[in-house]
Each structure stands twice: as structure tokens, then as C-alpha cells.
């Protein structure tokens, strides 16, 4: 899809993911449809090919997300977040996911089931949707295997990480230890 003059102006004739100026095209961010500027990003041929063929993985190329995730453009944030989620096995990607604090609407778009990019929907014990970076509280005492402590009921866990492919697990820090927690033992804390 060709770039509109408005998209060219916003991206300053550079790929909004990696900064390349070669062979730019417009990429529609699913599940949005139509040609609305807010639902598109400008991508180079390499980024576009990798986005269209997710089975191709170029971890080194996606290191550019260290910059693009901080974009003020929600569509760029959504695509960057989705790619980082697929690269969670890379320490740098997981660290970056732990640092970002995206707007709730951006996270919902990134996790939209219709887009088919996030493998599993995570819900707390009450059925509330859990998103990357949410805060939760434990609803019962949990023995932490291999750590020799009990995570007490009422313990707050901030900036959780979702376990891709397993909707029953999240990750977070308790007593300065990174642990896996079953979602049925947590309740989402709504921001004040």
C-alpha cells in the first residue's frame, strides 16, 4: 500500500520501526481496517516482509524496537509491543517489555483477539482481562517453589508479564524474586 502525504509527513520519510528510508510502504495495523492514518504505520521492505511473514524471525533486526516502542504514535507502539511479545525469549525484549508503560487503550489494541497476534487471553480470578504491565494482588497465600518463602495473601505485584501461549500464567516480582503465578490466584488492581 502506498504512503499517503499525511503518513509521509508523520514518519518523516523513514520506517517508523527501524528508521530505514528504503522502499517505504504503508502497513495497516490489525484489526483496524480502512485507510485511516491512525491505523497505519510506514515500514521499510524488510520490516514489512517480517511483519507479513511472522515465521521469519530476525532478532537482530528487531533490536530497533528499543527506539520505536517509545514512539508517540499508538499504531507504532502496538506493532512494537506485539513484536516484543513474540521475542520474549530474548532477555533484551523481556527487559524492554518490563520498562514500558503503555496507555490502556493501546494495550487493548495490541491484545485484540481479532488481530490474531497474541496467543492467549489472560484473566484474573474474577474474569477481568489482564494486560502486560498491570498490577495484581494475591488472593491467597502461595508457597513459592524453590524459593523457601510464602507469598502472602494481599501481596501486590506491579508490572506483571504475561506468559505467551499459557493464559493461566503470569510472571512478576515478589520479595525481589521473579516468579510464575497462576492467574486464578490473583485479582487485578485498578489504577487509582
Amino acid at each position: 500500500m502506498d504512503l499517503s502525504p499525511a503518513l509521509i509527513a508523520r514518519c518523516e520519510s523513514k520506517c517508523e520501526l527501524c528508521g530505514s528510508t528504503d522502499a517505504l510502504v504503508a502497513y495497516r495495523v490489525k484489526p483496524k481496517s480502512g485507510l485511516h492514518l491512525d491505523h497505519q504505520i510506514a515500514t521499510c521492505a524488510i520490516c514489512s516482509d517480517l511483519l507479513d511473514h511472522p515465521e521469519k524471525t530476525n532478532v537482530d533486526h528487531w533490536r530497533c524496537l528499543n527506539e520505536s516502542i517509545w514512539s508517540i504514535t499508538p499504531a507504532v507502539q502496538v506493532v512494537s509491543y506485539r513484536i516484543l511479545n513474540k521475542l520474549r525469549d530474548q532477555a533484551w525484549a523481556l527487559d524492554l517489555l518490563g520498562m514500558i508503560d503503555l496507555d490502556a487503550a493501546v494495550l487493548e489494541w495490541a491484545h485484540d483477539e481479532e488481530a490474531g497476534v497474541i496467543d492467549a487471553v489472560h484473566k484474573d480470578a474474577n474474569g477481568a482481562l489482564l494486560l502486560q504491565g498491570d498490577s495484581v494482588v494475591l488472593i491467597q497465600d502461595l508457597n513459592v517453589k524453590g524459593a523457601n518463602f510464602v507469598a502472602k495473601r494481599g501481596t501486590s505485584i506491579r508490572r506483571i508479564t504475561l506468559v505467551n501461549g499459557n493464559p493461566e500464567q503470569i510472571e512478576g516480582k515478589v520479595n525481589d524474586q521473579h516468579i510464575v503465578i497462576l492467574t486464578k490466584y490473583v485479582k487485578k488492581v485498578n489504577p487509582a
Side-chain angles (χ1 to χ4, degrees), residues 6-165:
L7 187 53
I8 292 171
R10 184 184 80 199
C11 75
E12 299 175 344
S13 298
K14 292 186 267 184
C15 175
E16 292 183 280
L17 295 175
C18 74
S20 173
T21 57
D22 296 334
L24 297 178
V25 295
Y27 179 84
R28 183 178 53 83
V29 183
K30 295 177 182 176
K32 306 294 185 186
S33 60
L35 301 175
H36 196 280
L37 176 65
D38 292 342
H39 303 158
Q40 299 176 34
I41 64 171
T43 60
C44 66
I46 293 171
C47 288
S48 182
D49 183 53
L50 290 171
L51 289 169
D52 288 338
H53 302 98
E55 69 279 2
K56 295 181 182 180
T57 303
N58 186 336
V59 174
D60 290 331
H61 179 77
W62 288 132
R63 288 191 178 268
C64 61
L65 300 175
N66 280 307
E67 304 263 336
S68 64
I69 192 65
W70 304 107
S71 170
I72 60 169
T73 305
V76 176
Q77 293 173 349
V78 166
V79 172
S80 299
Y81 178 87
R82 288 174 177 173
I83 297 166
L84 286 168
N85 246 317
K86 290 192 178 285
L87 298 174
R88 314 172 49 80
D89 59 332
Q90 302 293 314
W92 65 269
L94 192 57
D95 288 345
L96 196 52
L97 283 169
M99 286 189 283
I100 59 174
D101 187 21
L102 299 177
D103 181 74
V106 172
L107 281 172
E108 283 187 50
W109 183 5
H111 283 271
D112 196 309
E113 293 176 62
E114 291 179 41
V117 293
I118 302 296
D119 295 333
V121 176
H122 294 70
K123 295 185 178 181
D124 73 0
N126 297 328
L129 180 66
L130 294 172
L131 300 174
Q132 190 85 8
D134 278 347
S135 293
V136 297
V137 65
L138 296 178
I139 60 171
Q140 75 177 51
D141 291 351
L142 299 176
N143 283 324
V144 180
K145 294 179 182 175
N148 293 333
F149 73 89
V150 174
K152 296 289 186 184
R153 177 182 177 188
T155 299
S156 179
I157 304 163
R158 293 188 290 168
R159 303 179 67 81
I160 63 166
T161 304
L162 305 178
V163 174
N164 252 356

Side-chain angles (χ1 to χ4, degrees), residues 156-188:
S156 179
I157 304 163
R158 293 188 290 168
R159 303 179 67 81
I160 63 166
T161 304
L162 305 178
V163 174
N164 252 356
N166 190 339
E168 296 176 358
Q169 294 181 347
I170 59 170
E171 297 175 358
K173 277 193 173 182
V174 176
N175 292 349
D176 293 326
Q177 293 204 18
H178 193 81
I179 64 170
V180 175
I181 306 159
L182 296 178
T183 56
K184 66 183 179 181
Y185 300 129
V186 301
K187 181 175 76 168
K188 183 175 183 172

